Amino acid sequence: MHAQRLILLTLCLASASHADNGDWQYTIKPGDTLWSIARVHLSTLAHAPALQKLNAIRNPYALKPDTTLRIPLQLMRQHSASATVTDLVGDATLDGQALEAGQRYPLAAGKIIRTGPNSALKLLMEEGSLVSIGPNARFAIKEATFFPSTGASNTWLSIESGSIDNSVVKNPLMQNRHTIQTPSAITAVRGTGFRVNVADADSSATEVVEGQVEVSGHSGSQAVGAGFGSVTRRGEAPGGSIKLPPAPDLSPLAAVQSFSPAILQWKPAEGMAAYQANLMRTQPSRRMMDDKLLKTAQWYPALENGQYQLTVRSQLPNGLQGYPAQHNFIVHAHPAPPLVLSPAEGSRLAGRELAFRFSGDTGTRYRVLLSRQPDMQPVAASWDISQPDSARQLEAGGQWYWQVARLDKQGKPGPYSQTYSLQADAGLWRASYPRGMQISGRPYPLANARYQLTLQLLGRDSQAFVYSNSQPAWQDSERLFSGRYRVSYKVSTPDGYQATELDDILLVD
């Protein structure tokens, strides 16, 4: 038995009957007779004499209330259980047949259930229990029996890989038996919530959120209560009962991510070796983006615009994972704002005429917001402009603040740039007249970020100009030659963040 791990989930109430080794202990009620019990619970009345003999009943019509009657499970009414797919993200199969959400499937012994990469499956068992299966899982159905007279079931699943979360309903009449077999131990569970994770063929982890667990390995056993877990390795005694890590603190994460890759950084928890992270897109269509083990408390996934849900569990050095934390957020990162050539930050205009120069080919459309306040509230004006029609007139002089966004094909703005300031009606003598090249982009909220700008004049065999800076602002004392440039703006950090903010066209006249 050391080569296999059994997790036996037996769910009990203080007032409920309980089963032992293939029997159901039925509590006799007033008015019960052996024949009335047999008529309801046995597969045939022909089993009644065997039941009478097994329980040494002298008078089948005079049963004493509140005493127990031992009923072997093999004598009871039963049929192969079934399950309904209540939720499916990605791909899952039952013996090679693709599963579909909302459909009901028989769980015959010997059938194999698989989930694909970035996939998740939820099964509502016939007796009401919920089984949630993670990505890259494979398990065989050893037994799935439903007892209609009691509403209980016996389920035995043999897992080779993946993780499974179980939420088992309480049945006051007859306990539900859920057995999960994995490569390394036997775990007897009394409770309604537990999780099993098989990371490899030689070890597995049991994490209990409700009830009591008895973990038995090659030698010895270990009691594990709610809020604790145990790791068992093949051929060894179960590890000690260890308190599960609390849910990670995801409060530092922004509600709206305006950068891609998204910047997901949360507070590292002391003593944690890794973080199990799952990323699900919830809108416009449901899709699991990734499920991975992270060595640090950060993740930089490249994401399209949409709504997402991040789930993170902290992991101890021994492999036990704790309670999950979830964070819902929106990605609004595309199209990225353009690079700005003019007006540069802090420009002073002689009058009120503005000539905007942004990256983008002819016909590219932008939206410029203006305000008198640095926080851009309230917005005093909103201008939709395009290349090369980019000149506008301010309504008054003085201090102004502005931002720019690129418009998509539907005319909706992407994320806005940082806020720029300018002063109008400064007069000829106080006006600023920039020389050479000045280009700026939006900064990223990342420590030690490096910004690289590459310019390549199109149509000529010329060398690319590469500028690197700790801030997204680049200057050159020489003006650029007139023409069309391929411009690339990249961002990187020492901890592995890599982004290509723009791969664009720059028009220089």
Side-chain angles (χ1 to χ4, degrees):
M1 186 64 72
H2 67 274
Q4 294 179 330
R5 176 189 187 191
L6 298 179
I7 297 179
L8 177 61
L9 171 65
T10 55
L11 178 61
C12 312
L13 294 176
S15 60
S17 306
H18 63 278
D20 294 306
N21 299 322
D23 293 335
W24 174 38
Q25 301 292 332
Y26 174 76
T27 302
I28 296 173
K29 299 186 293 292
D32 279 343
T33 68
L34 181 66
W35 297 104
S36 67
I37 294 172
R39 193 173 295 111
V40 172
H41 297 293
L42 300 188
S43 59
T44 172
L45 289 176
H47 291 324
L51 189 64
Q52 181 176 2
K53 182 178 180 181
L54 178 67
N55 289 273
I57 297 174
R58 294 183 178 181
N59 185 350
Y61 296 99
L63 303 181
K64 186 177 180 181
D66 297 325
T67 60
T68 57
L69 185 69
R70 179 183 170 194
I71 304 178
L73 297 182
Q74 65 266 28
L75 302 184
M76 295 183 63
R77 293 173 55 196
Q78 57 190 266
H79 62 253
S80 293
S82 62
T84 300
V85 178
T86 61
D87 195 13
L88 173 61
V89 178
D91 304 313
T93 60
L94 176 63
D95 259 15
Q97 175 190 0
L99 298 177
E100 298 180 8
Q103 298 298 311
R104 187 174 179 179
Y105 298 91
L107 301 180
K111 289 191 174 183
I112 305 295
I113 294 180
R114 298 175 183 262
T115 58
N118 296 333
S119 301
L121 173 67
K122 287 187 178 181
L123 296 175
L124 181 64
M125 310 302 285
E126 194 166 354
E127 91 285 354
S129 298
L130 186 64
V131 176
S132 301
I133 303 160
N136 299 311
R138 184 188 187 278
F139 59 91
I141 301 171
K142 297 290 187 179
E143 179 188 357
T145 304
F146 182 70
F147 303 96
S149 66
T150 63
S153 70
N154 278 2
T155 305
W156 184 323
L157 305 177
S158 178
I159 301 180
E160 294 184 6
S161 61
S163 64
I164 182 169
D165 287 80
N166 297 268
S167 179
V168 183
V169 297
K170 296 181 178 181
N171 189 326
L173 182 60
M174 177 182 178
Q175 66 184 11
N176 291 303
R177 294 181 170 187
H178 284 228
T179 303
I180 297 180
Q181 174 179 321
T182 65
S184 57
I186 300 174
T187 303
V189 181
R190 288 176 171 81
T192 58
F194 71 103
R195 183 171 184 265
V196 178
N197 185 34
V198 181
D200 55 61
D202 293 321
S203 66
S204 51
T206 302
E207 297 143 9
V208 183
V209 296
E210 183 178 351
Q212 180 76 19
V213 173
E214 186 73 19
V215 181
S216 301
H218 179 63
S219 59
S221 61
Q222 174 69 53
V224 183
F228 291 79
S230 178
V231 175
T232 305
R233 304 190 183 280
R234 186 193 296 267
E236 298 180 5
S241 179
I242 298 175
K243 187 174 182 179
L244 297 178
D249 183 5
L250 303 185
S251 61
L253 298 180
V256 178
Q257 291 281 336
S258 57
F259 300 91
S260 184
I263 302 171
L264 304 177
Q265 298 175 326
W266 55 94
K267 295 179 180 179
E270 184 177 356
M272 297 301 112
Y275 301 89
Q276 187 70 43
N278 178 280
L279 185 60
M280 184 84 69
R281 185 177 69 186
T282 57
Q283 291 290 338
S285 59
R286 296 182 72 248
R287 176 187 172 193
M288 185 183 293
M289 306 304 298
D290 206 350
D291 186 276
K292 64 193 306 181
L293 191 65
L294 305 171
K295 297 300 183 183
T296 57
Q298 60 189 28
W299 196 4
Y300 303 136
L303 302 173
E304 296 298 320
N305 290 350
Q307 298 179 24
Y308 295 83
Q309 183 179 79
L310 173 68
T311 303
V312 182
R313 299 174 187 264
S314 298
Q315 179 170 302
L316 294 168
N318 65 359
L320 278 178
Q321 296 178 1
Y323 292 91
Q326 288 188 336
H327 174 72
N328 296 307
F329 63 96
I330 295 171
V331 172
H332 182 230
H334 310 281
L339 296 172
V340 174
L341 282 78
S342 68
E345 163 61 19
S347 292
R348 299 186 303 275
L349 308 179
R352 299 180 184 178
E353 185 174 351
L354 275 171
F356 292 105
R357 296 174 61 201
F358 306 131
S359 65
D361 212 342
T362 301
T364 302
R365 298 182 301 161
Y366 316 90
R367 180 163 297 163
V368 176
L369 302 181
L370 293 102
S371 176
R372 289 292 195 175
Q373 302 298 325
D375 63 358
M376 298 299 296
Q377 297 296 326
V379 173
S382 175
W383 295 337
D384 284 3
I385 63 177
S386 62
Q387 298 275 30
D389 178 25
S390 59
R392 291 293 185 272
Q393 188 81 14
L394 289 168
E395 65 181 17
Q399 190 73 30
W400 288 91
Y401 300 91
W402 64 277
Q403 297 174 339
V404 60
R406 194 187 303 256
L407 301 182
D408 63 14
K409 294 180 180 180
Q410 289 74 42
K412 296 180 179 180
Y416 282 88
S417 67
Q418 72 271 37
T419 302
Y420 292 86
S421 65
L422 64 86
Q423 186 178 358
D425 281 347
L428 291 174
W429 295 105
R430 298 186 65 245
S432 54
Y433 300 96
R435 297 179 179 180
M437 180 199 76
Q438 294 188 34
I439 300 178
S440 63
R442 63 171 177 167
Y444 277 52
L446 291 166
N448 303 313
R450 197 75 190 172
Y451 302 88
Q452 178 178 294
L453 179 72
T454 303
L455 296 170
Q456 176 72 54
L457 182 60
L458 299 177
R460 296 186 185 181
D461 186 15
S462 59
Q463 183 179 0
F465 299 95
V466 180
Y467 305 88
S468 181
N469 201 352
S470 60
Q471 297 295 327
W474 307 273
Q475 296 185 24
D476 197 317
S477 59
E478 299 294 331
R479 290 179 56 85
L480 294 172
F481 294 109
S482 298
R484 298 177 74 247
Y485 288 79
R486 172 67 65 185
V487 57
S488 174
Y489 166 29
K490 297 183 178 181
V491 184
S492 62
T493 63
D495 65 3
Y497 187 88
Q498 299 282 342
T500 299
E501 169 83 347
L502 281 176
D503 190 3
D504 206 357
I505 295 294
L506 184 66
L507 300 177
V508 177
D509 52 19

